[in-house]
Amino acid sequence: MTRTVLLHVVISTEQDVFAVRRQGRHLGAALGLAGQDQIRIAAALSEVGRRLLAALGPVVVDFVLVKELVVAEPDREVRPVSLELRSTAQGAAEDDVVADMALTQGLLDDWQVDRTQRQTTVTMARALPRAAANLGSDEIDAIRADVRTLTAGTAIEELAEHNRQLLATLEEVQAQRDELARLNDELTETNKGVLALYAELTEELAATNRGVVALYAELDQRSEQLRVANEAKTRFLANVSHELRTPVTSVVGLTRLLRDPESDPLTAEQDEQLALVDVSAHSLLGLVNELLDLAKAESGRLAPALERTDLKAIFDTLRGTLRAFPRADATTLVVVDPVGVPAPVTDPILLTQVLRNLITNGLKFTPAGEVRLEAAWEPTGRTVELSVRDTGIGIPPAEHERVFEEFHQVRHALQATVTGTGLGLPYARRLVQILGGTITVDSAPGAGSTFTVCLPLNHEGVAPP
Ligand code: ADP
């Protein structure tokens, strides 16, 4: 802490009280204090000086600039720079004098009285704006010189000055009060606005909530309707196909009987026409069987028989059984042995059906090139991927989802030359779902197609809804 004495004066007469009062005010102004604070200092100084002079005689007044060196102390509010006013008179002041002086206590930040038999000292202090800490010694000398030349005016002059200051202060206070009232009004208005907005928002939120609830109820209702419709469709398909299967099987059987070499001979034309009947009856039987399969898979009654499945065995079976499947001469089937791929827990029969479907599609829609079956596995993953990739005609992106819908077939010149019902892919997707997996397609016209079946390594037998 550094202490610089700015002024040292002695009050010996009433006139000196006025002078000190003036000096205090000027010093306050020079050190950057606002009008009201200057008046506080002036009032406190003159009151203490007047009382001490009357009670004990001459008073020594020191004006000291105090600078704190340690600014940051956690528990204490530190004033880096302040003005200390110390008034000392000889002898011990009476209690009532001290009490009178103490009325000025509220005017400053610190106020303290020390009383011994020999002397009475009142020390008061007021915090200064931080800029006062940077005053150089030249500036302090200039302030000192300036204040020292101030002399007291007459009592009338002082009173007039005092009144002028009081009036200015009153005006300032009035202005502050008006401003406060204005701010208060503004705040009340804003509060009203906020409350109205809040009410509006609450109402809007409630309305939105009601809408969402209604929407959900409708959605629930719709999905229930959809479920019922889907069940009805499945039941219908199952019934119709079942009803059709017996007569169609009879037609197939009868045709075979009529064309049997053991039966009565037919004319060449009859035989030709019966051959046509045979072909149609067979494709009808194929359709009926596929419809029945799909209906069964959709009904939810198809439970997978799960076991640890050797993929290599499945691949071998497919390689063998599809060797004879009709295909273009320029198209080969490549089945890559699944080396190092772990055996998934799944239903081998259903999986074989899915892969057979995908491979036969590949063979049907690849006029030249190859159809390749491969298995892949991520060492850290919990799935195996089985892909059937062909170099065939491809599928436009807009049809990628639609090919999984019942009876949907992509329009293409090749379509007329191959047999198909449009039920293979929907059936395959349903089976893969039963196995807890997914089936996706990646394809573009002319660039071939890749169908990928992704299966869990450890399916627990819970089919997704
Ligand atoms: P389909 O009995 O007609 O093959 P699918 O459900 O298996 O019935 O396939 C539906 C349609 O998807 C096919 O008719 C064909 O248009 C298209 N498609 C399926 N697989 C392929 C493929 N590998 N390449 C090109 N088109 C394909």
Side-chain angles (χ1 to χ4, degrees):
M1 181 194 293
T2 63
R3 303 172 57 83
T4 313
V5 177
L6 297 175
L7 206 59
H8 175 87
V9 290
V10 180
I11 300 175
S12 320
T13 62
E14 279 279 321
Q15 188 76 1
D16 293 340
V17 174
F18 289 126
V20 164
R21 189 174 189 288
R22 243 180 166 193
Q23 284 164 326
R25 190 156 52 75
H26 273 77
L27 210 55
L31 294 173
L33 286 177
Q36 279 198 42
D37 289 330
Q38 299 165 22
I39 293 172
R40 283 164 183 264
I41 287 180
L45 264 180
S46 66
E47 195 55 21
V48 170
R50 196 167 66 81
R51 302 261 179 205
L52 279 180
L53 177 69
L56 303 173
V59 186
V60 175
V61 183
D62 284 311
F63 295 75
V64 187
L65 184 67
V66 181
K67 278 194 237 174
E68 285 278 350
L69 293 182
V70 183
V71 175
E73 259 189 63
D75 306 333
R76 199 157 69 93
E77 193 203 338
V78 177
R79 295 188 217 111
V81 53
S82 54
L83 177 64
E84 185 184 285
L85 310 160
R86 179 187 286 261
S87 311
T88 310
Q90 299 303 312
E94 299 287 334
D95 283 349
D96 56 342
V97 175
V98 172
D100 282 345
M101 290 192 299
L103 292 175
T104 63
Q105 208 162 8
L107 293 174
L108 292 136
D109 298 325
D110 290 341
W111 198 98
Q112 193 184 319
V113 58
D114 286 317
R115 202 162 28 149
T116 64
Q117 280 305 325
R118 289 185 46 229
Q119 65 178 38
T120 303
T121 303
V122 178
T123 312
M124 307 181 283
R126 172 78 199 168
L128 292 174
R130 273 167 191 269
N134 303 327
L135 288 174
S137 55
D138 288 352
E139 288 159 301
I140 290 179
D141 283 346
I143 293 173
R144 240 185 226 136
D146 201 23
V147 176
R148 212 175 269 140
T149 58
L150 284 174
T151 49
T154 63
I156 298 288
E157 274 168 15
E158 276 301 315
L159 197 64
E161 170 66 13
H162 198 145
N163 279 347
R164 201 181 52 69
Q165 286 167 7
L166 270 183
L167 276 177
T169 309
L170 264 181
E171 260 167 32
E172 212 169 295
V173 168
Q174 184 62 42
Q176 277 173 0
R177 195 174 296 155
D178 290 351
E179 177 66 7
L180 205 65
R182 194 184 62 73
L183 282 178
N184 229 352
D185 287 352
E186 217 166 72
L187 200 68
T188 314
E189 275 307 301
T190 315
N191 271 353
K192 269 192 225 151
V194 168
L195 278 182
L197 200 69
Y198 184 73
E200 206 173 294
L201 279 179
T202 312
E203 175 49 37
E204 212 168 296
L205 197 71
T208 313
N209 278 352
R210 279 197 294 275
V212 170
V213 169
L215 208 66
Y216 268 102
E218 198 176 321
L219 259 179
D220 282 351
Q221 203 183 347
R222 288 279 156 85
S223 31
E224 178 58 15
Q225 283 170 357
L226 210 64
R227 197 187 57 74
V228 171
N230 210 27
E231 254 174 27
K233 183 197 76 178
T234 307
R235 241 190 343 265
F236 172 77
L237 283 182
N239 289 341
V240 169
S241 347
H242 195 74
E243 293 301 319
L244 278 177
R245 191 145 69 157
T246 321
V248 174
T249 318
S250 313
V251 171
V252 170
L254 278 175
T255 321
R256 188 180 306 138
L257 200 67
L258 284 172
R259 295 183 71 203
D260 194 295
E262 309 263 298
S263 303
D264 290 344
L266 301 169
T267 65
E269 191 177 338
Q270 282 172 333
D271 188 57
E272 208 173 292
Q273 282 170 354
L274 272 181
L276 288 176
V277 171
D278 193 35
V279 169
S280 303
H282 265 103
S283 69
L284 193 56
L285 190 60
L287 174 65
V288 167
N289 282 337
E290 281 189 34
L291 270 175
L292 264 179
D293 285 343
L294 184 62
K296 190 168 177 209
E298 294 229 316
S299 69
R301 284 195 297 269
L302 187 64
L306 299 175
E307 59 185 73
R308 184 132 330 256
T309 302
D310 179 14
L311 287 177
K312 176 153 177 2
I314 292 186
F315 279 30
D316 287 345
T317 308
L318 287 168
R319 196 186 284 120
T321 54
L322 290 174
R323 190 174 296 144
F325 190 83
R327 77 191 73 166
D329 291 340
T331 305
T332 50
L333 171 63
V334 180
V335 177
V336 183
D337 272 339
V339 180
V341 179
V345 173
T346 191
D347 181 325
I349 295 177
L350 298 188
L351 179 59
T352 308
Q353 277 183 29
V354 170
L355 294 176
R356 182 184 295 121
N357 248 319
L358 297 179
I359 295 173
T360 53
N361 273 352
L363 291 171
K364 282 194 299 188
F365 296 107
T366 305
E370 69 167 30
V371 178
R372 171 181 290 259
L373 169 65
E374 252 174 320
W377 168 65
E378 272 283 327
T380 52
R382 300 156 62 130
T383 53
V384 277
E385 275 187 6
L386 305 161
S387 61
V388 177
R389 181 188 305 266
D390 66 55
T391 58
I393 59 173
I395 304 168
E399 309 260 8
H400 284 183
E401 261 312 301
R402 298 208 61 196
V403 292
F404 291 101
E405 290 172 10
E406 288 108 347
F407 302 112
H408 186 78
Q409 295 182 319
V410 181
R411 278 174 181 277
H412 190 279
L414 195 63
Q415 194 82 54
T417 68
V418 297
T419 53
T421 56
L423 291 173
L425 286 179
Y427 181 51
R429 174 168 272 183
R430 196 59 204 124
L431 292 187
V432 172
Q433 282 171 348
I434 290 171
L435 297 177
T438 56
I439 179 168
T440 49
V441 59
D442 180 21
S443 178
S449 313
T450 305
F451 283 84
T452 307
V453 175
C454 184
L455 284 183
L457 270 176
N458 283 304
H459 181 40
E460 260 131 46
V462 191

